[in-house]
């Protein structure tokens, strides 16, 4: 397989709940540690990193020993309120171990619906990146609900990560999930399913073949990931969907290794230092 090369300086990484929470409901500390290591390593090389994280409700469930996600919105939001602080504590500990600085942003959809608030958020992210701080973004699940004409929810963090990637003009969105990439058929049902290494056009057939969420902790599925890819591709950017079992795969992606499924046209690789001198 031919090694891919890519042109990137500003990168959004989205990690799903299924990567952060074990099947038994416990927090996957090794994943969080490896994620902090990989992002810090790239930050030290001059890349601009934004992390969009799921997991607040899952971590809240783990904290309280809840085995099933409650149906009531208020109970989910209570878990999110508990889990968000726990999750940020874990991120703070692990990123600090590697000498990285992080900052938290909790967003609702209407922040991006209004030009003034959208610009404030974008200015904040730019200010953080200029100081080599890694923004960690999550939806504000403890307050975000759909009420009449007041839209607050993104629906899932796949959509949030793509919207953030588009708004901050990121070169690449990495979506780390519980699957190695996009397959030509459901690999859980068909042992002969083949990974699709590259997608340059999202056809109606591809979109129609996507399934739902595969874990009790997460809310997304392949449909939301393909919609995220569509958002990035329409903006002339790239997205890669890859396994989040070991977040150090981020380093392999940036190195241009052929892992996961790449969405969009692949361009010549330029390091952050070279990109700055060529612009």
């Amino acid at each position: 397989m031919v090694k891919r090369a890519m042109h990137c300086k500003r990168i959004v990484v989205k990690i799903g709940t299924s990567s952060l929470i074990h099947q038994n409901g416990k927090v996957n500390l090794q994943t969080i540690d490896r994620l902090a290591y990989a992002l810090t390593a790239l930050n030290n090389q001059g890349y601009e990193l934004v992390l969009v994280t799921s997991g607040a409700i899952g971590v809240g469930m783990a904290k309280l020993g809840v085995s099933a996600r409650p149906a009531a919105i208020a109970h989910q939001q209570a878990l999110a309120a508990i889990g968000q602080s726990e999750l940020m504590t874990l991120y703070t500990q692990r990123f600090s171990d590697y000498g990285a600085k992080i900052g938290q942003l909790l967003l609702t959809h209407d922040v991006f619906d209004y030009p003034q608030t959208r610009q404030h958020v974008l200015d904040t992210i730019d200010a953080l990146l200029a100081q080599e701080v890694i923004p960690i973004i999550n939806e504000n699940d403890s307050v975000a609900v759909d009420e009449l004409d007041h839209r607050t929810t993104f629906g899932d963090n796949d959509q949030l990560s793509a919207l953030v990637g588009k708004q901050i003009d990121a070169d690449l969105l990495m979506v780390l999930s519980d699957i190695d990439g996009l397959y030509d058929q459901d690999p859980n049902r068909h042992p002969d399913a083949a990974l699709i290494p590259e997608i340059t056009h999202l056809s109606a057939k591809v979109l129609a073949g996507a399934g739902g969420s595969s874990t009790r902790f997460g809310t997304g599925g392949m449909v939301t990931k393909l919609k995220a890819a569509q958002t990035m591709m329409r903006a002339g950017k790239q997205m890669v969907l890859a396994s989040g079992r070991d977040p150090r795969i981020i380093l392999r992606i940036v190195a241009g290794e052929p892992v996961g499924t790449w969405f969009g046209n692949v361009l010549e690789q330029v390091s952050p230092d070279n990109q700055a001198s060529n612009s």
Side-chain angles (χ1 to χ4, degrees):
M1 189 178 293
V2 178
K3 180 178 179 180
R4 293 181 180 87
M6 39 172 273
H7 172 102
C8 65
K9 174 179 173 64
R10 181 169 286 191
I11 302 170
V12 175
V13 176
K14 184 265 177 177
I15 190 159
T17 302
S18 59
S19 300
L20 297 172
I21 306 293
H22 289 295
Q23 283 295 316
N24 63 7
K26 302 293 185 180
V27 178
N28 192 331
L29 298 176
Q30 184 178 66
T31 290
I32 294 175
D33 184 76
R34 289 175 172 177
L35 178 64
Y37 165 77
L39 294 183
T40 303
L42 290 180
N43 198 41
N44 289 345
Q45 295 174 47
Y47 290 91
E48 296 178 344
L49 285 307
V50 174
L51 174 62
V52 176
T53 181
S54 298
I57 293 178
V59 173
M61 289 169 62
K63 180 70 174 178
L64 296 186
V66 177
S67 59
R69 185 182 178 117
I73 295 296
H75 291 169
Q76 291 184 34
Q77 291 179 315
L79 287 172
I82 295 166
Q84 189 61 43
S85 60
E86 288 289 318
L87 183 59
M88 284 307 300
T89 296
L90 291 170
Y91 279 135
T92 299
Q93 292 171 347
R94 294 311 190 270
F95 277 94
S96 294
D97 287 344
Y98 296 108
K101 297 168 289 186
I102 62 173
Q104 180 187 28
L105 289 88
L106 294 175
L107 303 179
T108 53
H109 202 298
D110 51 358
V111 167
F112 288 109
D113 286 340
Y114 297 98
Q116 186 174 9
T117 55
R118 178 175 65 240
Q119 192 58 53
H120 285 319
V121 168
L122 298 180
D123 289 345
T124 299
I125 293 173
D126 282 339
L128 290 169
L129 294 175
Q131 298 176 73
E132 299 182 356
V133 177
I134 299 173
I136 298 183
I137 298 175
N138 197 355
E139 182 168 7
N140 196 352
D141 290 322
S142 61
V143 301
V145 293
D146 281 325
E147 294 180 349
L148 302 177
D149 61 345
H150 184 63
R151 181 173 59 159
T152 58
T153 65
F154 295 97
D156 61 84
N157 279 339
D158 294 326
Q159 301 302 300
L160 172 58
S161 65
L163 183 57
V164 168
K166 176 182 175 181
Q167 293 288 343
I168 70 171
D169 197 27
D171 304 299
L172 176 68
L173 168 62
M174 301 183 193
V175 175
L176 304 184
S177 185
D178 56 357
I179 193 168
D180 293 326
L182 178 64
Y183 285 81
D184 59 357
Q185 52 187 335
D186 187 348
N188 295 315
R189 296 170 141 189
H190 304 280
D192 60 339
L195 179 72
I196 302 172
E198 187 171 315
I199 294 285
T200 57
H201 172 68
L202 279 173
S203 66
K205 181 179 179 181
V206 171
L207 291 170
S213 177
S214 61
T215 77
R216 70 184 188 276
F217 302 107
T219 59
M222 190 56 69
V223 170
T224 63
K225 290 164 181 55
L226 294 182
K227 287 181 178 178
Q230 194 171 53
T231 296
M232 293 299 289
M233 293 170 73
R234 285 176 174 172
K237 308 298 183 179
Q238 297 181 85
M239 187 187 104
V240 60
L241 172 61
S243 170
R245 283 188 299 270
D246 184 348
R248 292 175 298 183
I249 198 172
I250 292 168
L251 303 176
R252 297 173 59 197
I253 293 171
V254 170
E257 292 187 26
V259 295
T261 299
W262 291 69
F263 297 85
N265 296 321
V266 183
L267 305 175
E268 180 183 0
Q269 184 177 8
V270 177
S271 69
D273 292 338
N274 288 339
Q275 182 173 346
S277 64
N278 291 338
S279 59

